Amino acid sequence: MNLRKTLLQPGWYFQNPLKIGDFLQKSAETGPKPAGRTIAAVAPHAGWHYSGSLAAWAVAALGVDNPQFGIDRPGTIAIIGGHLPEGMPALFAMEDAADTPLGGMEIDGELRGVLLNNFQSIPGFKTAEDRYQDNTVEVLLPMVKYFFPEAMLLWARFPADILSFNAGKILARTAASLDRELLVLGSTDLTHYGAHYHFCPHGTGQEALDWVKTVNDRRFIGAVEAGDPSAVLNRAGEEHSACSAGAVLGVMGYAEEFRAAGMPGSKGSAAELLAYGTSADISIEDEGVFPDSFVGYGAFVFTA
């Protein structure tokens, strides 16, 4: 078996299975719960110290009883990461399985193969093998493995391009054609603010944090809540309010197609914000220090 090994350095997430289980179980028990049957979610992808709880809430939300599938344990979880600009191909893990501290996750080769073929129907949407070190998928793998230990995996990263919204629709159609019980998890962080990120339009300190929370991140969150893929792409690109807009667009496209197939008059590609926070909040609470640079995080759910 060709196994995709972990590439991130220790510190991004726990390596000890007991610590992983303890952290995720406590997070799931104390986190907010969505109102409705979840079909997809978006989670942040920073180190677990900063965004792990929000990410765990989003992943655990996928486990809410889902009569649409008849079961609450999907056959496959698609994790869509990002960090890819417009014009880049979508990247896929081409291995047979991916390693996690909780054991390997089998990659759904059948779904991947049919999907890559179906993507040829999208003019200009290219695909390639993901050979790179990147946190947007890997940091979520132990969570998915913990909450869905028997599920297969589809590992993908989508570019910040409106074509990724169409790709999400193709994903929904392909899963349906294979009678695949699929849930989808997207991955993005929000505004990266401060000198470390070369983005400081509102100075430093509390004023900057308030602006990120109430203006910049809020505008991106509003676009996701409204189900407006063009606004999501524009906000991320022009306002630096998301680092992996392609992942969000892919999930939105999937949700819209899924809802349309089984729910006339559905909610399109709109989402609900499950939780929000920033790394500054964690730094202030844990260390009593206001950081020079910080990142916003949002957990979203798509319900049917």
Side-chain angles (χ1 to χ4, degrees), residues 101-182:
L102 301 179
M105 286 193 72
E106 179 185 354
I107 291 179
D108 191 339
E110 180 185 23
L111 175 60
R112 179 184 61 200
V114 177
L115 185 63
L116 291 176
N117 182 68
N118 290 346
F119 278 158
Q120 297 180 38
S121 66
I122 306 177
F125 191 79
K126 301 176 182 179
T127 61
E129 182 176 358
D130 192 348
R131 298 176 176 269
Y132 309 98
Q133 180 184 33
D134 181 80
N135 58 299
T136 59
V137 175
E138 184 182 324
V139 78
L140 300 175
L141 282 180
M143 297 185 182
V144 171
K145 178 67 175 178
Y146 177 81
F147 289 115
F148 306 100
E150 303 302 321
M152 292 186 290
L153 169 69
L154 179 72
W155 171 313
R157 291 199 283 139
F158 284 4
D161 191 308
I162 199 64
L163 296 178
S164 292
F165 182 76
N166 298 331
K169 288 176 170 286
I170 296 294
L171 173 59
R173 294 174 202 159
T174 302
S177 72
L178 295 173
D179 198 25
R180 188 70 87 249
E181 293 146 354
L182 177 71

Side-chain angles (χ1 to χ4, degrees), residues 8-301:
L8 296 179
Q9 296 298 315
W12 279 89
Y13 52 85
F14 298 122
Q15 300 297 311
N16 184 300
L18 293 178
K19 288 186 177 181
I20 291 174
D22 184 61
F23 176 82
L24 295 179
Q25 186 62 35
K26 288 179 180 177
S27 295
E29 291 173 352
T30 60
K33 305 298 188 292
R37 294 181 281 113
T38 55
I39 58 174
V42 170
H45 56 230
W48 283 19
H49 176 72
Y50 290 104
S51 69
S53 293
L54 270 74
W57 296 340
V59 178
L62 292 171
V64 173
D65 183 49
N66 199 329
Q68 184 74 21
F69 299 126
I71 59 173
D72 62 0
R73 293 187 297 274
T76 299
I77 299 276
I79 305 180
I80 305 176
H83 284 165
L84 299 176
E86 181 181 7
M88 286 285 290
L91 301 179
F92 286 80
M94 300 303 293
E95 293 86 355
D96 301 315
D99 195 19
T100 85
L102 301 179
M105 286 193 72
E106 179 185 354
I107 291 179
D108 191 339
E110 180 185 23
L111 175 60
R112 179 184 61 200
V114 177
L115 185 63
L116 291 176
N117 182 68
N118 290 346
F119 278 158
Q120 297 180 38
S121 66
I122 306 177
F125 191 79
K126 301 176 182 179
T127 61
E129 182 176 358
D130 192 348
R131 298 176 176 269
Y132 309 98
Q133 180 184 33
D134 181 80
N135 58 299
T136 59
V137 175
E138 184 182 324
V139 78
L140 300 175
L141 282 180
M143 297 185 182
V144 171
K145 178 67 175 178
Y146 177 81
F147 289 115
F148 306 100
E150 303 302 321
M152 292 186 290
L153 169 69
L154 179 72
W155 171 313
R157 291 199 283 139
F158 284 4
D161 191 308
I162 199 64
L163 296 178
S164 292
F165 182 76
N166 298 331
K169 288 176 170 286
I170 296 294
L171 173 59
R173 294 174 202 159
T174 302
S177 72
L178 295 173
D179 198 25
R180 188 70 87 249
E181 293 146 354
L182 177 71
L183 293 174
V184 179
L185 177 66
S187 170
T188 192
D189 290 341
L190 303 182
T191 301
H192 289 56
Y193 191 96
H196 182 72
Y197 304 111
H198 308 288
F199 184 64
C200 310
H202 284 263
T204 60
Q206 191 63 48
E207 178 184 354
L209 180 59
D210 290 344
W211 176 78
V212 168
K213 288 182 172 181
T214 63
V215 179
N216 214 48
D217 278 353
R218 184 62 247 177
R219 282 163 64 86
F220 182 84
I221 290 166
V224 179
E225 291 175 323
D228 187 339
S230 295
V232 164
L233 188 60
N234 291 338
R235 296 275 185 253
E238 297 174 7
E239 301 172 1
H240 307 282
S241 53
C243 64
S244 301
V248 180
L249 293 174
V251 177
M252 291 173 68
Y254 172 83
E256 181 165 294
E257 187 67 21
F258 181 94
R259 289 164 171 165
M263 302 173 57
S266 71
K267 295 182 290 185
S269 57
E272 301 169 24
L273 181 68
L274 189 66
Y276 173 81
T278 73
S279 62
D281 299 322
I282 303 298
S283 296
I284 294 169
E285 179 179 352
D286 289 355
E287 306 163 17
V289 175
F290 201 106
D292 293 332
S293 301
F294 55 89
V295 180
Y297 309 120
F300 300 86
V301 291

